């Protein structure tokens, strides 16, 4: 291949020059070039190497179907491997490199693998490295070398510096593709008053019109395209999205689209994403994605210089690049004639046109004769010769199914047209099975039971003017389906060539040893396909996995149909019976960053902040994650770290008063005439008899008897309950309650509503809690007689309505104050003004954890999905007078075993030692294995002055009373002897709660 830049023509901007690099060498191109066209213009023939044999690969196509010119673009954190050079828009400073080769793609020592090709056919790794008698040792020996040689390019291991976005959009009609059918379909829909989105994967609208020479009516393709694009861009009902690929169609009219926002810019703009994921919901979808040209499998058809005929034509007409100086065009259909004519008009010498058929279409034949291009009928390419590029082509005479080799033709470009395959991928995503059409030698889109319409070449319509009519008809169909006035659609028939195609899938000549490639990236040959059939891989799906046909970067866009035809021939059955593999999204690769969007790093999950978040931060709170929420961890004073701050906070709560944000607790409104009966079934204890204005602690079980969650239930009125859950399980509990009402007890008259975000909550705990509340709470009698433990009252604080419950997680006299979320900061400020003068503190999660461990309250660490009520010492809560979820299975003998792990407290024998959560509890005589239990929660107890913890140990307190255990911590390398004690360290009688 000896490509060169034509003196004129093309859609490039010749007034400007762009510098770029490839494999360490500098080249120049023009705006409007792709990397492939610029390399061809610079005479670069070898761009890549194949996967298995490391054979040289050049540019084979001009679009996303490229299987040869795969390169790595960029460097460092922006290194992007396996990029198709045909789809890379050239920009100043672009750096690209060959891949899967050493020392370079021009001279690759890995090509020695080709000498051993007879020993490494399809599936050789299964037979060589695995099998009876070899065991796993052989595979482990070879695996490292195999994995090192696998893959085509190396991805960057540095963090991705770019940003990505997700955009949602709605439209009446989505048009995928902007060729003649797509442009006309969009215009027809817009004229009917519909909102239209046009997505085009190329950086310019127009599809094949960008290089087409066939007129559209009385207009040239360029003029017709310009008029349609201008009309669409002027319309306020149409959104045109170039550089945007519709990669998948999904349920409900949803389309996934990838927009490449800054890939074509020399430097990424800091305020723009690299890629944008469009999630479009369309009422009607028109698939105008065109068709892909196929090659022909003949000897050495993978050599640089062998390319698709329409690609050679597009390089000449769109990019002003001659892919070679002397060309041979080989075809089995009418489109090859148009390619030969356009190549000759561009200044490329066309040595001959080979037509596998016995006659030519009249119009093109006369044009070829006028230009002086010889046509050789019944002739096919047999073998390309040349090591790094094509130097000549051997041709042969086809008689029936036999081919007799003839003479050689000197050339450096072989432009092949083996027929066209409609791009049916998007239609197939919606369950449309491709149907083989013998007259077109192509798989056509099958019936679609959804508002999806296929137009243009994607529907097997070849003539440009017919594609326009097809697009207009599709636009009218969509408009009429949406109730708009539009003409009755007139659908053109598929086809459009003067002569029928005579498909040539493979050219075989007796005695010829050259390989005939079907998948040039993965080095799948026609011989591999026949071998797979002989070994029993008769279905398309099995063939794919055994030979890797269609598993390369192009996903079989060019070679799959050829492979299926050869498989059908080997099996002696029609191609239609062989079928195709399953088309799944994405149509072309989508970067992982696009799918993640902004949901990475701290944004991997949504960050939720309480209504008082700003107020806490202003007072020096150090925040931490609690589920999806940000909560105050501790409030350091000068010189304090976590260890000293939380001890001070906890000590202040025990001795005076403290304020803690509890807004993150799950809050669910359970309302309706049957609300009490519903909660009776969900919780182990009863709630239907709970008086209004009272609260009760409750525990709910899963069906299998394991504890799911705990919390409090406040009865506000006869049919109105306010349920609180743990922060982490709020969504789980809500979903559970909704499932129960929808599937098990739909007859219950109950409604559950998440109200977590509607309420801001503060816990006020400590001996002086009542004094603080009395200073700010209005309309509530806070005396012990009027407001006893577990009572609920309504009042006002800081001018806002509030709901106050007297309950405690710390073991001290405590209240929870709830106000509407908008009044959260005002409530905090009022409570703090009352608490600060009496020595009150703000305390965070760490101090809260210390207080609850001292009191022996269980939390998420103990509710780990394995513990039962009895394991946690809560068995006495279970009602014996009513059924509830989990009641039957919690009584299984397995849960009554005396050696089950049960909740206990632990203290170090040496009170100066530190405990660690996660340590394994072992008997002193056997510090090994999984031990007898594990430490779930630990803290330094300000009240006791040493470390304490909660744990689960086999047999519980009764089995370990007066015994010593060892808390083994192999991760941290420390073993601590501990005493097993009751889990309530402070005020076990509960007198402080009623103070």
């Amino acid at each position: 291949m000896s490509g060169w830049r034509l003196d004129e023509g093309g859609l490039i901007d010749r007034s400007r020059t762009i510098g770029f690099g490839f494999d360490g060498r500098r080249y120049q191109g023009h705006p409007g070039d792709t990397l492939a066209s610029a390399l061809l213009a610079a005479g670069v023939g070898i761009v890549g190497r194949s996967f298995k044999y490391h054979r040289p690969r050049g540019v084979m196509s001009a679009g996303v179907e490229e299987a040869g010119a795969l390169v790595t673009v960029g460097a460092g954190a922006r290194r992007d491997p396996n990029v198709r050079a045909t789809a890379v828009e050239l920009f100043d400073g672009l750096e690209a490199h060959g891949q899967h080769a050493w020392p370079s793609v021009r001279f690759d020592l890995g090509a020695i693998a080709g000498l051993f090709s007879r020993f490494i056919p399809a599936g050789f790794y299964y037979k060589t490295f695995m099998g009876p008698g070899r065991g796993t040792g052989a595979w482990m020996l070879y695996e490292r070398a195999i994995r090192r040689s696998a893959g085509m390019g190396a991805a960057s291991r540095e963090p991705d510096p770019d940003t990505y976005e997700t955009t949602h959009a709605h439209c009446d009609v989505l048009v995928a593709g902007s060729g003649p059918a797509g442009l006309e379909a969009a215009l027809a829909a817009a004229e009917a008053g519909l909102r239209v989105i046009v997505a085009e994967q190329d950086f310019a609208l127009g599809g094949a019109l960008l290089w087409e020479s066939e007129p559209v009516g009385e207009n040239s393709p360029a003029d017709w395209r310009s008029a349609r694009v201008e009309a669409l861009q002027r319309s306020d009902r149409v959104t045109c999205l170039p550089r945007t690929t519709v990669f998948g169609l999904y349920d409900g009219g949803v389309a996934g689209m990838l927009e490449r926002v800054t890939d074509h810019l020399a430097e990424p703009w800091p305020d723009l994403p690299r890629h944008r994921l469009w999630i479009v919901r369309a009422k009607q979808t028109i698939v105008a994605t065109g068709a892909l040209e196929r090659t022909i499998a003949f000897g050495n058809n993978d050599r640089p210089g062998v390319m698709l005929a329409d690609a050679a034509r597009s390089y000449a007409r769109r990019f002003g690049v001659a892919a070679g100086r002397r060309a041979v065009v080989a075809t089995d259909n009418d489109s090859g004639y148009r390619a030969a004519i356009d190549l000759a008009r561009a200044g490329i010498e066309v040595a001959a046109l080979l037509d596998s058929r016995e006659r030519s279409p009249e119009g093109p034949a006369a044009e070829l004769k006028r230009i002086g291009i010889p046509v050789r009928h019944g002739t096919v390419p047999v073998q390309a010769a040349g090591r790094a590029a094509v130097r000549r082509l051997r041709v042969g005479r086809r008689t029936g199914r036999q081919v007799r080799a003839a003479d050689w033709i000197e050339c450096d470009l072989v432009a092949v047209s083996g027929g066209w395959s409609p791009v049916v991928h998007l239609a197939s995503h919606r369950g449309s099975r491709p149907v083989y059409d013998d007259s077109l030698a192509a798989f056509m889109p099958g019936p679609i039971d959804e508002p999806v319409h296929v137009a243009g070449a994607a529907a097997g319509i070849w003539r440009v003017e017919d594609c326009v009519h097809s697009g207009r008809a599709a636009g009218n169909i969509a408009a009429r389906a949406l109730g708009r006035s539009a003409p009755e659609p007139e659908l053109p028939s598929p086809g459009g060539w003067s002569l029928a195609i005579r498909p040539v899938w493979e050219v075989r000549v007796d005695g010829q040893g050259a390989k005939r490639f079907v998948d040039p990236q993965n080095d799948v040959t026609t011989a591999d396909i026949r071998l797979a059939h002989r070994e029993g891989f008769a279905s398309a799906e099995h063939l794919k996995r055994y030979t890797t046909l269609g598993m390369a970067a192009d996903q079989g866009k060019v070679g799959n149909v050829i492979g299926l035809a050869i498989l059908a021939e080997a099996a002696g059955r029609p191609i239609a019976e062989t079928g195709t593999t399953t088309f799944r999204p994405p149509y072309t690769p989508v970067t992982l960053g696009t799918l993640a969007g902004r949901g990475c790093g701290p944004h991997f999950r949504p960050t939720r902040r309480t209504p008082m978040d700003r107020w806490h931060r202003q007072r020096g709170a150090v925040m931490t994650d609690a589920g999806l929420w940000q909560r105050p961890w501790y409030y350091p004073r000068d010189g304090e770290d976590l260890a000293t701050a939380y001890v001070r906070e906890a000590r202040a709560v025990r001795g005076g008063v403290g304020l803690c944000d509890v807004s993150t607790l799950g809050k669910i409104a359970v309302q309706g005439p049957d609300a009490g009966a519903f909660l009776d079934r969900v919780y182990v204890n009863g709630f239907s008899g709970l008086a209004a204005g009272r609260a009760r602690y409750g525990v709910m079980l899963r069906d299998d008897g394991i504890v799911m969650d705990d919390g409090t239930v406040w009865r506000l009125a006869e049919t109105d309950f306010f349920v609180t859950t743990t922060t982490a399980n709020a969504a789980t509990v809500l979903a559970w309650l909704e499932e129960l009402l929808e599937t098990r007890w739909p007859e219950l008259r109950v409604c559950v509503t998440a109200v977590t975000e509607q309420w801001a909550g503060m816990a006020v705990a400590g001996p002086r809690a009542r004094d603080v509340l009395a200073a700010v709470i209005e309309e509530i009698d806070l005396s012990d007689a009027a407001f006893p433990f577990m009572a609920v009252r309504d009042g006002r604080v800081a001018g806002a309505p509030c709901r106050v419950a007297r309950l405690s997680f710390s073991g001290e006299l405590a209240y929870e104050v709830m106000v509407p979320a908008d009044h959260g900061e005002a409530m905090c400020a009022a409570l703090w003004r009352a608490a600060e003068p009496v020595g009150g503190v703000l305390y965070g999660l760490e101090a809260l954890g210390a207080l609850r461990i001292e009191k022996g309250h269980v939390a998420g660490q103990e509710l780990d999905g394995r513990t039962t009520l009895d394991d946690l010492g809560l068995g006495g809560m279970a009602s014996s007078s009513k059924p509830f979820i989990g009641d039957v299975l919690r009584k299984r003998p397995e849960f009554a075993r005396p050696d089950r792990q049960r909740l206990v407290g632990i203290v170090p024998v040496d009170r100066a030692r530190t405990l660690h959560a996660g340590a394994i509890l072992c008997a002193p005589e056997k510090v090994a294995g999984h031990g007898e239990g594990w430490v779930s929660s630990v803290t330094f107890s300000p009240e006791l002055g040493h470390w304490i913890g909660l744990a689960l140990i086999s047999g519980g307190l009764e089995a370990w009373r007066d015994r010593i255990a060892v808390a083994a911590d192999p991760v941290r390398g420390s073993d601590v002897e501990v005493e097993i004690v009751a889990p309530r360290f402070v005020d076990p009688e509960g007198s402080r709660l009623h103070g």
Side-chain angles (χ1 to χ4, degrees):
M1 177 183 290
S2 51
W4 47 288
R5 179 75 70 181
L6 297 172
D7 294 334
E8 59 183 18
L11 302 180
I12 58 174
D13 182 0
R14 294 176 180 267
S15 65
R16 294 170 52 205
T17 300
I18 292 177
F20 70 98
F22 178 72
D23 261 1
R25 298 185 180 183
R26 305 304 302 171
Y27 301 97
Q28 289 185 337
H30 299 286
D33 266 325
T34 63
L35 176 60
S37 67
L39 289 174
L40 282 175
V44 177
I46 300 177
V47 181
R49 289 280 170 167
S50 67
F51 172 63
K52 188 160 61 172
Y53 302 139
H54 289 252
R55 288 168 70 101
R57 293 286 179 262
V59 177
M60 297 180 169
S61 73
V64 298
E65 68 272 28
E66 179 62 34
L70 299 178
V71 299
T72 295
V73 174
R78 290 191 168 91
R79 186 174 68 219
D80 197 0
N82 290 326
V83 176
R84 294 171 295 280
T86 52
V88 177
E89 188 175 350
L90 198 68
F91 59 83
D92 198 23
L94 171 67
E95 292 293 335
H97 302 273
Q99 56 187 35
H100 196 58
W102 187 85
S104 72
V105 292
R106 291 183 294 275
F107 178 75
D108 180 16
L109 291 177
I112 195 172
L115 301 177
F116 304 95
S117 61
R118 63 177 298 183
F119 303 108
I120 48 177
F124 77 95
Y125 30 82
Y126 300 125
K127 305 167 189 174
T128 306
F129 306 122
M130 303 177 186
R134 292 187 177 92
T136 60
W139 171 247
M140 297 304 292
L141 177 65
Y142 299 124
E143 182 185 25
R144 180 173 298 179
I146 292 173
R147 292 193 180 280
R148 189 162 51 243
S149 66
M152 291 292 291
S156 174
R157 294 184 176 274
E158 299 178 35
D160 190 344
D162 296 313
T163 60
Y164 302 84
E165 282 185 354
T166 300
T167 297
H168 294 262
H170 297 260
C171 65
D172 296 315
V173 179
L174 169 65
V175 181
S178 71
L183 292 177
E184 192 69 9
L187 192 60
E191 290 172 351
L194 301 176
R195 294 172 300 141
V196 181
I197 293 178
V198 181
E200 169 56 56
Q201 65 186 3
D202 204 328
F203 56 85
L205 301 180
L209 294 174
L210 295 169
W211 63 87
E212 183 58 66
S213 59
E214 180 185 339
V216 185
E218 297 181 356
N219 299 303
S220 70
D223 291 343
W224 189 92
R225 165 186 166 270
S226 297
R228 290 302 187 274
V229 170
E230 183 179 348
L232 292 175
Q233 292 176 340
R234 281 200 314 264
S235 174
D236 58 0
R237 290 188 290 270
V238 179
T239 301
C240 295
L241 296 174
R243 303 184 181 91
T244 303
T245 302
V246 181
F247 62 77
L249 295 183
Y250 303 88
D251 293 346
V254 174
M257 310 196 318
L258 169 66
E259 180 186 6
R260 297 172 298 280
V261 182
T262 60
D263 279 355
H264 63 290
L265 301 177
E267 291 293 337
W269 289 17
D271 56 341
L272 287 177
R274 178 191 174 197
H275 293 164
R276 181 179 288 120
L277 172 65
W278 285 80
I279 301 176
V280 177
R281 291 164 175 84
K283 298 175 183 176
Q284 299 279 317
T285 300
I286 297 175
V287 177
T289 46
L292 297 175
E293 197 170 23
R294 298 189 299 264
T295 185
I296 296 172
F298 60 90
N300 291 335
N301 63 323
D302 64 325
R303 290 298 190 209
V306 178
M307 71 164 51
L308 298 173
D310 201 60
R313 179 187 178 205
S314 72
Y315 284 117
R317 289 189 53 82
R318 178 181 177 182
F319 301 106
V321 173
R325 296 185 179 274
R326 180 177 170 86
V328 173
V329 178
T331 186
D332 59 8
N333 64 84
D334 288 6
S335 70
Y337 285 78
R338 179 60 61 184
I341 292 170
D342 285 345
L343 291 179
R345 285 177 175 172
I348 301 172
E349 179 186 358
V350 180
L353 183 143
L354 314 179
D355 192 338
S356 65
R357 303 169 297 182
E358 294 301 330
R359 63 192 184 98
S360 303
E362 293 183 3
E367 180 70 11
L368 287 180
K369 184 176 182 180
R370 188 185 67 80
I371 296 175
I373 300 175
V375 179
R376 301 177 63 164
H377 294 106
T379 306
V380 293
V382 173
Q383 181 177 341
R387 293 179 60 84
V390 172
R391 293 289 177 259
R392 55 182 182 157
L393 176 71
R394 193 177 192 187
V395 302
R397 178 73 183 174
R398 181 178 180 183
T399 306
R401 305 182 87 178
Q402 300 296 318
V403 176
R404 179 169 53 84
D407 57 326
W408 292 85
I409 301 177
E410 299 293 326
C411 62
D412 61 354
L413 172 64
V414 180
V416 183
S417 180
W420 293 80
S421 298
V423 178
V424 300
H425 299 65
L426 294 181
S428 299
H429 295 170
R430 301 312 313 137
S432 170
R433 293 290 298 178
V435 178
Y436 189 74
D437 188 317
D438 279 304
S439 66
L440 300 178
F443 282 95
M444 303 284 288
I448 308 175
D449 297 328
E450 296 187 20
V452 177
H453 318 285
V454 185
I461 298 170
W462 306 139
R463 294 182 64 248
V464 173
E465 196 158 351
D466 289 342
C467 287
V468 171
H469 295 322
S470 172
R472 170 65 60 170
N476 290 338
I477 291 172
R480 293 166 70 91
L482 296 177
R484 301 302 177 98
S485 176
E488 185 74 26
E490 298 181 8
L491 293 170
S493 300
W497 289 327
S498 300
L499 299 179
I501 184 175
R502 186 185 183 190
V504 179
W505 308 111
E506 178 188 16
V507 178
R508 301 173 66 186
V509 176
D510 292 340
Q512 178 194 4
K515 296 182 183 299
R516 299 173 294 279
F517 287 88
V518 180
D519 187 328
Q521 180 182 334
N522 283 351
D523 285 324
V524 180
T525 67
T526 59
D528 291 328
I529 295 172
R530 292 192 173 84
L531 173 64
H533 173 261
R534 291 197 303 271
E535 298 190 351
F537 297 92
S539 77
E541 296 288 357
H542 291 161
L543 173 70
K544 173 180 178 179
R545 284 151 183 82
Y546 188 67
T547 65
T548 71
L549 172 64
M551 296 174 68
D554 74 307
Q555 292 290 285
K557 289 179 174 63
V558 173
N560 259 18
V561 176
I562 300 174
L564 296 172
I566 295 172
L567 176 64
E569 179 188 7
R573 64 190 182 204
I575 298 176
E577 290 185 13
T578 303
T580 66
T581 54
T582 302
F583 297 105
R584 299 183 180 90
Y587 172 65
T588 52
V590 177
T591 52
L592 294 177
T594 302
L595 299 178
R598 294 188 179 274
C600 58
H603 306 294
F604 177 68
R605 299 181 298 179
T607 299
R608 306 179 71 179
R609 304 185 190 279
T610 74
M612 295 86 81
D613 182 86
R614 180 179 58 179
W615 190 88
H616 293 303
R617 293 176 188 272
Q618 288 174 347
R619 280 147 188 82
V622 175
M623 310 302 283
T624 188
D625 292 327
L628 296 178
W629 293 90
Q630 282 271 293
R631 292 188 67 178
W633 189 9
Y634 62 101
Y635 298 81
R637 294 180 179 174
D638 292 342
E640 285 187 335
D641 58 9
L642 170 64
T644 54
Y646 90 82
V647 170
R648 171 184 53 78
E649 293 167 9
R651 184 175 287 121
V653 173
R654 294 276 186 226
V657 67
L659 308 181
C660 180
D661 190 343
V662 294
S663 303
T664 64
L665 292 177
K667 295 177 277 292
I668 303 171
V670 181
Q671 299 167 319
D674 298 323
F678 174 58
L679 294 175
D680 281 347
R681 300 182 189 186
V682 172
Y683 285 95
V684 302
N685 45 340
F687 289 92
S688 57
L690 183 66
R694 300 288 295 180
R696 181 171 293 163
Y697 175 72
V699 178
M700 62 178 65
L701 307 183
R702 303 188 317 217
D703 283 315
D704 59 1
I706 296 295
V707 174
M708 174 188 288
D709 196 56
D710 69 340
T712 59
V713 177
W714 309 3
R715 189 163 199 168
L716 308 177
E718 181 67 21
T719 61
D720 189 0
F721 292 82
F722 184 76
V723 173
T724 69
T725 72
T726 58
T727 295
N729 282 337
T732 302
V733 171
L734 177 67
W736 173 241
L737 298 182
E738 289 176 332
E739 178 190 339
L740 295 176
L741 289 172
E742 291 175 5
T743 62
R744 304 195 194 184
W745 306 314
E747 73 281 1
L748 291 182
R749 296 166 296 170
V750 179
C751 178
V752 297
T753 306
V755 293
T756 300
E757 293 83 358
Q758 278 66 48
W759 292 94
M762 286 291 283
V764 184
R768 306 202 61 176
R770 183 181 290 117
D771 299 336
V772 170
L773 288 186
V776 296
I777 299 291
E778 303 172 9
E779 302 178 9
I780 297 179
D781 184 351
L782 294 169
S783 65
D784 192 55
F787 199 164
F789 183 59
M790 300 302 282
V792 180
R793 299 288 185 267
D794 289 333
R796 298 187 68 80
V797 61
C802 68
R803 182 177 296 163
V804 184
R806 182 178 169 185
L807 46 85
S808 177
F809 193 60
S810 61
E812 300 294 331
L813 171 66
Y815 302 83
E816 288 185 7
V817 183
M818 299 284 179
V819 297
D822 290 346
H823 299 277
E825 283 198 11
M827 172 193 64
C828 279
L831 291 173
W832 183 237
R833 282 195 299 269
E836 191 175 22
V838 297
V841 297
L842 300 172
Y843 66 101
L845 277 181
E846 197 70 21
L848 181 66
L851 296 169
R852 74 96 181 167
I853 294 171
E854 288 181 335
K855 187 60 181 176
H857 287 159
V858 295
Q861 293 92 321
E862 290 76 42
L863 309 182
D864 66 350
R866 297 179 295 177
T867 50
T868 68
L869 280 174
D870 292 316
D871 295 341
L872 300 174
L874 302 175
M877 292 181 59
S879 173
S880 59
S881 60
K882 69 174 183 68
F884 54 86
I885 291 176
D887 186 31
V888 174
L889 292 183
R890 79 181 183 91
K891 299 173 183 177
R892 284 177 287 172
E894 176 66 19
F895 288 165
R897 281 194 356 251
D899 62 343
R900 276 193 64 82
Q901 294 180 359
R902 303 194 184 280
L903 185 71
V904 296
I906 60 170
V907 295
V909 173
D910 180 355
R911 298 297 196 261
R913 297 294 300 275
T914 299
L915 301 177
H916 295 288
I920 303 168
L921 292 177
C922 304
E925 63 274 12
K926 187 181 180 182
V927 183
H930 293 289
E932 303 292 334
W934 60 287
V935 180
S936 59
S937 306
V938 298
T939 187
F940 178 84
S941 169
E943 185 84 355
L944 302 179
H946 58 75
W947 282 83
I948 60 173
L950 298 179
L952 288 121
I953 194 168
S954 177
L957 181 60
E958 292 303 317
W960 288 85
R961 194 183 299 274
D962 301 325
R963 292 180 60 189
I964 299 298
V966 175
D969 192 352
V971 174
R972 299 176 181 87
S974 67
D975 294 346
V976 181
E977 289 188 337
V978 296
E979 300 174 19
I980 308 300
V981 299
R984 291 168 181 81
F985 298 93
V986 173
D987 190 27
E989 300 81 12
S991 59
R992 299 186 186 182
L993 298 173
H994 304 279

